[in-house]
């Protein structure tokens, strides 16, 4: 089996936005309680923040953290989460049929973002609430002082405004499972009016309007058109969500779903541009893929979980090696769309469909942690579209699927071309790469993530990224073998 790449500096897609490496923390299961916040745990600091978790998040170089949901936000009263902890109400969380104590709230989250080196991406409730709650929340967070809500923030210990830049106008409002689910017409009007009022309080914010929650929704496409008809001039980003599964237990069809992911993103771009053309607008809308991942392992257990528990074990997928390969190929696809996708949130971050899991004793890292960590660390710079040839296969739902998936990123600060390459085949691949018009100096690092059973999970912490010592680099050409079912990275120092 063979795979060949030609990497040309003029084949630029776009500069990779730092916010492509963002995530989501929702009040759901053990994400917040047990995950971020566990005051009784010896690994926590005086704020109750798990320090082992904070350190693992720093390793992932996460930028934005979307909060507090997810479906949770559509039934959330933000005022419940401020003020003295002993006066905060305990509520029913109807989205996840759990008990919410509000012991971790807005101020705790803002303090935690500082500690973890992340930035907030705050969602407002457009399900059970609307314009009034949103304008009060932004006044509380971003207005300097001298008004009811901004002075209450000061009284609660935050003298300076939080100055939250990025705001989501609700969550998955197209889904009938959502509290306060709306038609596209109803949501479009509400999002427009909410955006108007929020910008009156703070004109400098960025706004994300909710797109389709999956490509399979009957309203997919028409939802975006109608919502953008109302909000095109008000918002900076349109959101989209995408989760994949391998319920059918078909490895090759599973890994081929990156083609669906690519078409999904491309389709949404087309809808945005159609609205732009119809409106004779000069503005090109960017996308916020603010939930993406593999999600299915926990469905059965979740169906059997008793309701009305506090911090129950929900959505605790244990990811295996094939899931890591799926996340790898999704990351490559994201980088291929770096011209339009400016925000992407791996959903989620801790304990809930997450790369990081906590126990009372410590943390363990899931298989999907490793490709995400590498791309987030080294996938910075200008994304370049390689010219690629590869053997292909047909799967149940896809034809001509390349065994090789790849992307290059040129980091102009470190003068490195970094290539991520995945071999989706069960045979080793003869791999060669021509760095046309780059002057390749030396190989800085070559790694491979391979050799695990496709169903192997990582509770025992055996998985690790290993060096690839079988690489030659001469005359601007790199040659090696890609191991069967492997995720690979090459870092090459170049001069201009
Ligand atoms: O991430 C889990 C859930 O998936 C979120 O709450 C919701 O927005 C999506 O359906």
């Amino acid at each position: 089996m063979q795979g060949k790449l030609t990497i040309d500096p003029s084949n630029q897609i776009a500069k990779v936005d730092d916010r492509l490496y963002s995530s989501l923390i929702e009040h759901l299961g053990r994400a917040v309680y047990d995950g971020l916040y566990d005051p009784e745990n010896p690994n926590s600091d005086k704020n109750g923040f798990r320090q082992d978790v904070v350190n693992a998040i720093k390793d992932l170089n996460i930028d934005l953290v979307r909060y507090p949901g997810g479906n949770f936000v559509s039934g959330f009263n933000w005022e419940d989460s401020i003020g003295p902890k002993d006066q905060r109400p305990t509520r029913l969380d109807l989205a996840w049929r759990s008990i919410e104590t509000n012991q971790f709230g807005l101020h705790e989250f803002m303090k935690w973002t500082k500690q973890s080196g992340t930035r907030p991406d705050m969602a407002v409730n457009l399900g059970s609430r609307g314009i009034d709650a949103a304008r009060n929340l932004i006044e509380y967070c971003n207005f300097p002082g001298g008004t009811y809500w901004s002075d209450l923030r000061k009284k609660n210990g935050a003298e300076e405004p939080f100055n939250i830049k990025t705001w989501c106008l609700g969550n998955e409002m197209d889904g009938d499972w959502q509290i306060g689910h709306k038609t596209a017409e109803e949501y479009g009007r509400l999002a427009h009016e909410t955006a108007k009022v929020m910008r009156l309080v703070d004109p400098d914010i960025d706004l994300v309007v909710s797109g389709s929650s999956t490509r399979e929704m009957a309203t997919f496409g028409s939802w975006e058109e109608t919502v953008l008809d109302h909000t095109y001039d008000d918002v900076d980003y349109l959101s989209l969500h995408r989760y994949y599964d391998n319920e059918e237990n078909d490895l090759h069809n599973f890994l081929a779903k990156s083609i669906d992911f690519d078409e999904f993103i491309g389709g949404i771009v087309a809808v945005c541009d159609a609205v732009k053309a119809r409106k004779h607008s000069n503005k090109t809308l960017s996308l916020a893929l603010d939930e993406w991942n593999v999600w299915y392992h926990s469905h059965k257990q979740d169906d059997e979980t008793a309701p009305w528990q506090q911090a129950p074990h929900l959505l605790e997928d244990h990811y295996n090696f094939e899931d890591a390969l799926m996340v790898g190929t999704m990351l490559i696809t994201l980088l291929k769309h770096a011209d339009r996708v400016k925000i992407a949130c791996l959903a989620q971050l801790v304990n809930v469909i997450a790369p990081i899991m906590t126990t009372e004793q410590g943390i363990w890292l899931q298989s999907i942690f490793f490709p995400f960590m590498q791309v987030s660390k080294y996938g910075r710079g200008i994304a370049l579209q390689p010219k690629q040839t590869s053997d292909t296969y047909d799967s149940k739902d896809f034809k001509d699927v390349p065994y090789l998936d790849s992307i290059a990123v040129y980091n102009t600060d470190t003068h490195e071309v970094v290539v991520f390459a995945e071999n989706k085949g069960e045979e080793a691949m003869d791999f060669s790469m021509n760095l046309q018009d780059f002057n390749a100096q030396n190989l800085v690092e070559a790694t491979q993530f391979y050799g695990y059973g496709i169903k192997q999970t990582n509770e025992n912490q055996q998985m690790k990224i290993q060096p690839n010592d079988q690489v030659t680099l001469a005359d601007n050409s790199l040659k090696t073998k890609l191991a069967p079912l492997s995720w690979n990275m090459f870092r090459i120092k170049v001069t201009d």
Side-chain angles (χ1 to χ4, degrees), residues 24 26 28 66 69-72 96 171-172 177-178 213 241 243 291 295 315 347-348 352-353:
L24 163 65
E26 176 165 3
L28 193 187
R66 188 165 166 250
N71 296 339
F72 171 81
W96 300 105
N171 177 71
E172 293 190 349
W177 59 87
Q178 201 70 215
S213 46
H241 292 176
Y243 295 101
E291 289 186 32
W295 173 18
L315 281 69
Q348 301 193 10
V352 168
I353 44 174

